[in-house]
RNA sequence: GCGCCCUUAGCUCAGUUGGAUAGAGCAGCCGCCUUCUAAGCGGCAGGUCGCAGGUUCGAAUCCUGCAGGGCGCGCCA
């Protein structure tokens, strides 16, 4: 249960009673009334702004509303104290028993604690990675992959029905270049000395195997044949091979998609034409000439009539071209068809995860989605900023092939998939991220992966010790939930329970904001609270988890420890990170 | 020239969708400590939230303008 949502409902109900009693006028807009944790711990457990936001519409003083509402709320059995503070906040303090119930709830639910019905099964499509099928994934792709994957998991936890999708850009000129590059490697495999890979072709040695495979399949049949005879077949083969490689890269990172959509199939299936027809029927396409861009002008600029989409009607800055001069579609045209396709597959809510270099593309895509779904669809675009690879605080190049990129595989091999995943989520997506190969493996408080994993491992260490010193005692979550949790009266213990109780609210707010990084910060704070309690046990033996002379209190504390482990595991599972039970 | 993003402590960053006295971690200073396998712990200090206006009971958060940084700007993807 999201306790803040619960108390918001209680507050709304109390306001209804006050309206009925004539204390408040009817017809008030309650949408701005909230219930949230106060910033200051001293202000209690739940605070509401109700009196302040209703003062003006009700024509009353905030203080008067607050007094009346406070009296109502004070009658709630879980509320032990109500105070009106500041300009009209109402602060509620909750009974310890209420928190013990939450702890029992955490234990009963296990890692399902925090699952929400917020999404009500609404379908959401999250498209991420979508790296061009022309080579292995690099470090920049990794951030988008992890961000999209974690966002999808987060939305699932919040009750949405999520589809994870990959869009294969296999129709543009870049895959023809790939085919030609593969052809060169094919000739090489047949014994020809091809020398240096010419500019304009992909030089990567990952194409050597593709060339060999093509030579095995086709012999020398296409060695000197004109391009028209082999291009399509070589392209298809090479794209398949590249996608196989990309899937392996994603697998190494633990990222999996439900749906792979091929741009080429959209084009060949007539879906781009259909989308353009739709726009044309709605009067959103015209032949026209664009103004030259202000500022730096392309060298070969000349005014040219083009097929344009009226993007400006939907909030974009200029209308956008849909056709190239050779009559083929622009990338934008097939992207419109793709988003329409997603919409027609039942996804009015779409999220795309892109690299920041596509920032200039967001407005037109959102404009197109509005146009093509007649305002029914919504597209949110998460732009992932650059990852700066560092080592020991200095910028670092890890490339195996001079002048090329750092591959995702290199990175995963260097630090492990869980570290890559967690660190990628320690910044909001639109801020640049420093990834320091040394720091992420450091065993210190400064390294969030270690700090969080360590908290989880410590919990399990305590449980292992307990199993040894208390043979035959049931340490399963269910049994501990039924234990004497009321013995947990130390402020640090109650604080930890409150942190655990905040997890459902965090899941919901992070899911609504599409911000998975908040989970990382929550986990860090939770780990800090747990480590803090542990450290208190160093100074004060009475606060240790395992006590020889108080079996009851030990059992209660083991419940708390298991609950902490469970919530950390729950948070890490959103990130696709394996919680460790032992540090090595 | 235009659009989008960013600007919070010396450094790296949070900031719960407009709330109360803006928070962490490093680094700094002052103490303490040798473990329920474990990263040592506690405290102090550190701020004109880029600048200037505006909206409101209330602004780091919303609006306008300006400055600085990043990305992008007709057929590339």
């Amino acid at each position: 249960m999201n306790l803040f949502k619960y108390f918001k409902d209680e507050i709304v109900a109390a306001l209804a009673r006050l309206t009925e009693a004539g204390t408040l006028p009817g017809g008030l807009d309650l949408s701005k009334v909230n219930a949230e944790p106060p910033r200051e711990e001293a202000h209690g457990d739940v605070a509401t702004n109700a009196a302040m936001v209703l003062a003006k519409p009700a024509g009353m003083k905030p203080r008067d509303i607050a007094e009346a509402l406070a009296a109502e709320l004070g009658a709630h059995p879980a509320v032990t104290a109500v105070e009106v503070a500041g300009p009209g906040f109402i602060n509620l303090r909750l009974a310890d028993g209420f928190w013990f119930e939450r702890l029992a709830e955490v234990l009963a639910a296990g890692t399902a604690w925090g699952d929400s019905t917020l999404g009500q099964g609404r379908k959401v499509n999250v498209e991420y990675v979508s790296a061009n099928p022309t080579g292995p994934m690099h470090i920049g792709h990794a951030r988008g992959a992890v961000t999209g994957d974690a966002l999808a998991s987060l939305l699932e936890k919040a009750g949405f029905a999520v589809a994870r999708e990959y869009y294969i850009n296999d129709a543009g000129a870049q895959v023809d270049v790939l085919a030609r590059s593969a052809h060169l490697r094919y000739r090489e495999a047949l014994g020809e000395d091809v020398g240096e890979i010419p500019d304009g072709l992909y030089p990567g040695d990952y194409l050597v195997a593709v060339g060999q495979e093509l030579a095995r399949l086709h012999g020398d049949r296409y060695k000197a044949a004109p391009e028209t005879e082999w291009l399509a077949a070589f392209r298809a083969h090479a794209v398949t091979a590249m996608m196989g490689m990309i899937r392996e890269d994603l697998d190494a990172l633990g990222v999996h998609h439900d749906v792979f959509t091929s741009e080429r199939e959209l084009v060949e299936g007539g879906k781009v034409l259909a989308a353009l027809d739709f726009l044309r029927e709605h009067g959103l396409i015209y032949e026209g000439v664009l103004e030259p861009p202000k500022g730096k002008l392309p060298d070969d600029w000349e005014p040219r009539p083009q097929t344009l989409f009226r993007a400006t009607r939907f909030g974009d800055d200029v209308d956008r071209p849909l056709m190239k001069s050779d009559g083929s579609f622009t990338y934008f045209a097939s992207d419109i068809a793709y988003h329409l396709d997603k919409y027609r597959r039942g996804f009015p809510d779409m999220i795309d995860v892109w690299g920041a270099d596509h920032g200039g593309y967001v407005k037109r895509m959102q404009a197109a989605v509005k146009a093509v779904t007649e305002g029914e669809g919504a597209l949110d675009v998460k732009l992932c900023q650059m990852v700066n690879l560092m080592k020991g605080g200095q910028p670092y190049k890890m490339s195996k092939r001079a002048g090329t990129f750092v591959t995702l595989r290199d990175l995963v091999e260097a630090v492990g998939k869980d570290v890559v995943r967690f660190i990628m989520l320690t910044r909001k997506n639109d801020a640049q991220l420093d990834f320091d190969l040394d720091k992420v493996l450091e065993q210190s408080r400064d390294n969030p992966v270690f700090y969080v994993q360590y908290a989880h491992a410590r919990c399990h260490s305590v449980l292992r010790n307990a199993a040894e010193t208390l043979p035959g005692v049931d340490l399963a979550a269910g049994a501990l939930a039924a234990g004497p949790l009321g013995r947990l009266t130390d402020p640090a213990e109650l604080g930890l329970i409150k942190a655990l109780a905040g997890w459902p609210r965090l899941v919901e707010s992070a899911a609504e904001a599409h911000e998975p990084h908040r989970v990382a910060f929550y986990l860090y704070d939770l780990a800090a609270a747990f480590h803090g309690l542990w450290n208190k046990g160093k100074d004060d033996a009475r606060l240790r988890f395992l006590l020889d002379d108080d079996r009851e209190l030990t059992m209660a504390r083991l419940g708390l420890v298991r609950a902490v482990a469970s919530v950390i595991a729950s948070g890490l599972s959103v990130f696709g990170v394996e919680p460790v039970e032992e540090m090595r």
Side-chain angles (χ1 to χ4, degrees):
Chain A
M1 122 178 182
N2 178 340
L3 69 101
F4 298 97
K5 214 177 233 184
Y6 170 77
F7 276 102
K8 192 202 157 170
D9 291 344
E10 292 296 308
I11 289 161
V12 168
L15 289 167
R17 290 197 296 275
L18 289 173
T19 303
E20 202 157 320
T23 313
L24 288 174
L28 290 174
D29 174 18
L30 301 182
S31 63
K32 293 183 85 173
V33 172
N34 66 23
E36 51 186 20
R39 202 172 294 235
E40 289 285 323
E41 212 179 308
H43 290 151
D45 298 311
V46 180
T48 179
N49 63 356
M52 289 175 291
V53 298
L54 296 178
K56 192 181 257 188
M60 296 170 66
K61 287 184 192 156
R63 205 80 197 181
D64 294 341
I65 299 178
E67 296 296 345
L69 183 55
E72 284 289 324
L73 294 173
H76 191 288
V79 174
T80 55
V82 192
E83 38 193 79
V84 178
F89 287 102
I90 301 170
N91 295 325
L92 307 181
R93 213 168 296 271
L94 304 180
D96 288 355
F98 178 84
W99 298 112
F100 301 142
E101 282 170 26
R102 300 287 76 71
L103 179 56
E105 203 181 347
V106 174
L107 287 165
T111 51
W113 171 247
D115 287 5
S116 166
T117 55
L118 177 77
Q120 302 194 306
R122 192 175 164 90
K123 289 176 77 178
V124 182
N125 185 291
V126 185
E127 182 219 321
Y128 56 103
V129 187
S130 300
N132 283 337
T134 55
M137 291 185 48
H138 58 74
I139 185 170
H141 295 125
R143 187 172 187 185
V146 171
T147 300
D149 204 47
L151 177 55
S153 299
L154 177 62
L155 290 168
E156 276 171 353
K157 194 163 181 67
F160 291 89
V162 180
R164 297 153 191 259
E165 184 145 340
Y166 187 118
Y167 183 48
I168 310 172
N169 292 124
D170 53 0
Q174 80 285 358
V175 284
D176 288 345
V177 172
L178 177 72
R180 290 183 197 110
S181 308
H183 187 260
L184 193 72
R185 293 296 191 179
Y186 157 79
R187 283 160 47 203
E188 186 180 52
L190 292 171
E192 189 176 331
D193 179 9
V194 299
E196 285 281 298
I197 306 296
D199 273 358
L201 292 184
Y202 295 111
D205 53 14
Y206 52 85
L207 286 172
V208 170
V210 176
Q212 287 167 349
E213 177 70 6
L214 285 165
R216 201 182 58 73
L217 281 173
H218 301 296
D220 61 1
R221 192 181 328 160
Y222 298 119
K223 197 172 175 203
E227 183 174 295
T228 47
E229 287 181 26
W230 51 261
L231 187 74
F234 274 45
R235 187 175 57 209
H237 184 95
V239 165
T240 303
M242 294 303 100
M243 281 310 295
M245 189 168 64
I246 287 169
R247 283 190 201 225
E248 280 176 31
D249 286 351
L250 289 171
D251 199 51
L253 196 56
V255 171
H256 303 280
H257 292 80
D258 304 315
V259 183
F260 288 78
T261 299
S262 154
E263 179 186 8
R264 183 165 295 278
E265 282 175 25
L266 287 178
V267 174
E268 290 174 355
K271 297 217 172 146
V272 181
L273 278 175
L276 264 48
D277 283 347
F278 179 94
L279 291 174
R280 195 169 283 115
E281 281 161 22
H282 289 74
L284 297 173
I285 289 184
Y286 67 102
E287 299 295 318
V289 181
L290 285 175
E291 294 285 315
K294 302 283 194 291
K296 73 166 192 239
L297 208 58
D299 297 340
D300 55 346
W301 168 266
E302 57 186 53
R304 180 181 292 148
Q306 287 175 297
T307 303
L308 298 169
F309 162 58
R310 292 192 192 278
T312 46
R313 277 206 198 163
F314 302 91
D316 201 359
D317 308 311
V318 289
D319 292 337
R320 302 292 180 176
L322 298 170
M323 307 267 262
K324 302 181 200 171
S325 51
D326 65 1
S328 62
F329 302 120
T330 59
Y331 178 84
F332 181 46
S334 53
D335 238 2
I336 294 174
Y338 173 50
H339 283 81
L340 176 58
D341 185 61
K342 284 196 270 197
Y343 176 70
R344 293 210 169 133
R345 279 188 272 132
F347 297 104
D349 291 326
M350 301 171 236
I351 302 173
D352 290 0
V353 180
W354 295 348
D357 54 338
H358 288 58
Y361 211 75
V362 174
K363 270 192 184 181
R364 84 186 64 173
M365 205 59 244
Q366 287 174 331
V369 165
K370 260 188 236 166
V372 95
T373 66
E374 300 182 88
E376 297 294 311
L379 171 67
D380 185 20
V381 179
K382 307 303 285 183
L383 294 177
C384 290
Q385 278 290 347
M386 263 176 49
V387 177
N388 302 313
L389 197 62
M390 317 277 279
K391 192 171 173 64
Q394 298 299 315
Y396 185 66
K397 300 259 179 268
M398 193 165 68
S399 169
K400 285 177 183 168
R401 290 171 294 276
T404 59
F405 39 69
V406 177
T407 65
L408 180 148
R409 202 66 77 86
D410 292 341
L411 188 65
V412 170
E413 278 168 14
V415 300
K417 101 173 162 49
D418 284 349
V419 169
V420 173
R421 293 186 66 113
F422 195 100
I423 294 293
M424 289 292 181
L425 292 163
T426 54
R427 290 282 176 273
K428 51 181 168 245
N429 58 280
D430 51 11
Q432 288 194 19
L433 169 73
D434 289 344
F435 192 112
D436 193 308
L437 293 165
D438 290 337
K439 179 149 279 176
V440 301
L441 295 176
E442 210 171 77
Q443 302 210 341
S444 79
R445 182 166 190 164
D446 204 18
N447 175 9
V449 198
F450 168 78
Y451 196 62
V452 170
Q453 287 282 31
Y454 182 26
H456 185 266
R458 253 185 175 168
C459 289
H460 279 271
S461 167
V462 172
L463 291 165
R464 281 192 300 272
N465 281 346
E468 233 169 81
T469 54
L470 304 169
V473 169
D474 189 354
L475 297 177
L480 292 172
L485 302 176
R487 294 290 309 276
L488 301 169
T489 51
D490 188 85
E493 291 171 327
L494 282 165
L496 196 48
I497 297 173
K498 290 175 186 181
L500 296 171
W503 174 232
R505 179 174 193 263
L506 186 110
V507 169
E508 292 185 352
S509 63
E512 272 183 316
H514 298 168
E515 289 186 350
H517 76 278
R518 292 190 194 186
V519 174
F521 287 93
Y522 170 81
L523 289 175
Y524 186 84
D525 289 343
L526 179 59
F530 176 74
H531 288 309
L533 183 53
W534 174 288
N535 286 321
K536 280 195 167 186
K538 282 185 183 175
D539 295 337
D540 180 356
R542 292 300 308 161
L543 282 174
R544 296 188 174 198
F545 298 114
L546 304 178
L547 302 169
D548 293 336
D549 57 352
D550 195 336
R551 167 71 72 94
E552 197 185 62
L553 186 50
T554 298
M555 292 307 289
R557 287 188 175 158
L558 287 170
L560 180 57
V561 167
R562 190 172 282 292
V564 170
S566 161
V567 173
I568 291 177
S570 170
L572 289 177
S573 79
V574 169
F575 281 5
V577 171
E578 197 75 30
V580 303
E581 298 192 358
E582 227 170 331
M583 303 301 286
R584 270 161 297 159

